[in-house]
Amino acid sequence: MASNVGEPAKVYNDPIYVGIIGGTGLQSFSSFVPVATLNPTTPWGNPSSPISVLHYHSPVTSTTIPVAFLSRHGLHHELAPHEVPSRANIAALRTLGVRTIVAFSAVGSLQEDLKPRDFLIPDQIIDRTKGVRPFTFFEGGMVGHVGFGDPFDEALGKIVKGPQFSTRAESNLYHSWGGTAINMSVIPEAKLAREAEIAYQMICMSTDYDCWHTSEAVTVEMVIGNMKANADNARRLVGAVLDELSKEEHQELVRAKHLEGQVKFAGTVTGKEGRSKEALERLHWLFPGYFT
């Protein structure tokens, strides 16, 4: 295990069950203790950023919780939404042992009662990105169908309680559909987490009313100001979430035992004679022992 003294180590051998994905404006958690910086590689490339292993000491349970933190858009926000290597991100976290992900993301509000700087725990998704970004681990010789009717983990949700803004026509359309917020990151991230048997919940941080709202124009300056305030609040919220997740009654959830083995069944769609060597090698890396 890493030492808490000096520079963070380059390896970490203890289990890490909880991952945090930071979104726009949330590239670090300075209040946690950094113990290791990991640079894993995956069959789907490198993740968006090095993965920081952080220690959080819970004053509620008096336990130290290791957390794997990854910055979705890179350490310096250099990756646009369509450039984020989501498959590599999720795969890297899973191979470190992560089975629960709390993800943060900036969103535009589509409803009057979701004000800028409010936080939202979503329970459904309208996907408008189909075919635009890679969204599955099952391809190139292996087909797998994983249920995604409820895209976020219900139990985890109860505990948590593209680089351009929308056009006005798009925003009015989504508002008329009854959507609550608009976001550029939740897909394919949530779908890949489900395929990886990881309990996933996004926390949406409202930065603006998007442009359906006629009270004021959405500007970069407005969004950046709200993002800074949201990031400060997010860091406080993470501590409260980790305090709850560290309790003994939540350990089965933290390890996503309710999802374990689902992909092994889903991946049997392709007969053994039709499975390509390359696809099997990739999936064996992600799910050792699942497929032969």
Side-chain angles (χ1 to χ4, degrees):
M1 184 176 134
S3 168
N4 289 340
V5 180
E7 290 294 317
K10 298 186 186 306
V11 295
Y12 191 89
N13 297 320
D14 289 352
I16 310 171
Y17 296 118
V18 178
I20 298 174
I21 297 179
T24 302
L26 192 62
Q27 275 92 23
S28 65
F29 275 86
S30 57
S31 59
F32 292 11
V33 178
V35 294
T37 300
L38 310 179
N39 289 281
T41 59
T42 82
W44 297 275
N46 297 327
S48 298
S49 73
I51 296 176
S52 299
V53 181
L54 310 173
H55 277 181
Y56 171 77
H57 184 75
S58 171
V60 174
T61 59
S62 297
T63 57
T64 297
I65 307 161
V67 176
F69 178 81
L70 184 148
S71 182
R72 181 186 294 116
H73 296 285
L75 291 178
H76 309 287
H77 203 280
E78 64 270 24
L79 298 174
H82 67 280
E83 296 176 312
V84 172
S86 295
R87 290 190 294 186
N89 289 349
I90 298 299
L93 289 171
R94 177 179 167 84
T95 57
L96 294 178
V98 169
R99 295 297 182 269
T100 290
I101 291 176
V102 177
F104 287 86
S105 188
V107 303
S109 171
L110 295 173
Q111 298 296 332
E112 192 79 42
D113 58 356
L114 180 65
K115 301 181 294 297
R117 303 192 182 186
D118 282 353
F119 281 23
L120 167 73
I121 310 301
D123 57 8
Q124 280 296 328
I125 299 169
I126 300 172
D127 180 14
R128 299 283 291 165
T129 68
K130 284 186 173 68
V132 176
R133 307 174 193 175
F135 62 88
T136 183
F137 294 114
F138 290 92
E139 62 180 7
M142 276 285 287
V143 175
H145 297 295
V146 178
F148 197 58
D150 295 304
F152 301 104
D153 193 88
E154 182 180 2
L156 182 58
K158 288 179 180 177
I159 288 177
V160 171
K161 302 193 175 187
Q164 296 179 336
F165 298 127
S166 303
T167 67
R168 195 175 305 280
E170 289 170 335
S171 186
N172 286 333
L173 175 64
Y174 303 144
H175 172 66
S176 72
W177 285 351
T180 305
I182 188 166
N183 165 266
M184 293 185 275
S185 300
V186 67
I187 294 291
E189 197 170 89
K191 186 177 186 300
L192 291 165
R194 179 63 55 82
E195 284 191 354
E197 298 179 348
I198 295 173
Y200 177 94
Q201 179 63 58
M202 177 169 279
I203 299 176
C204 298
M205 306 177 293
S206 176
T207 59
D208 58 86
Y209 274 121
D210 212 57
C211 52
W212 67 272
H213 202 284
T214 57
S215 60
E216 57 182 336
V218 178
T219 66
V220 173
E221 291 76 16
M222 173 203 303
V223 171
I224 289 175
N226 290 335
M227 281 194 304
K228 184 179 185 305
N230 284 342
D232 293 338
N233 290 331
R235 293 184 180 97
R236 287 189 286 269
L237 175 60
V238 165
V241 171
L242 291 175
D243 288 339
E244 190 65 25
L245 290 177
S246 69
K247 295 179 179 177
E248 186 62 33
E249 63 261 35
H250 298 313
Q251 293 317 294
E252 292 283 301
L253 167 62
V254 168
R255 290 163 174 76
K257 291 295 185 180
H258 57 300
L259 299 176
E260 196 172 275
Q262 290 185 4
V263 170
K264 186 174 184 178
F265 175 77
T268 59
V269 172
T270 302
K272 289 188 176 182
E273 63 278 5
R275 300 175 184 180
S276 74
K277 180 175 180 289
E278 294 78 11
L280 280 172
E281 287 175 350
R282 289 193 299 268
L283 291 172
H284 180 71
W285 187 92
L286 192 59
F287 305 106
Y290 268 30
F291 309 108
T292 58

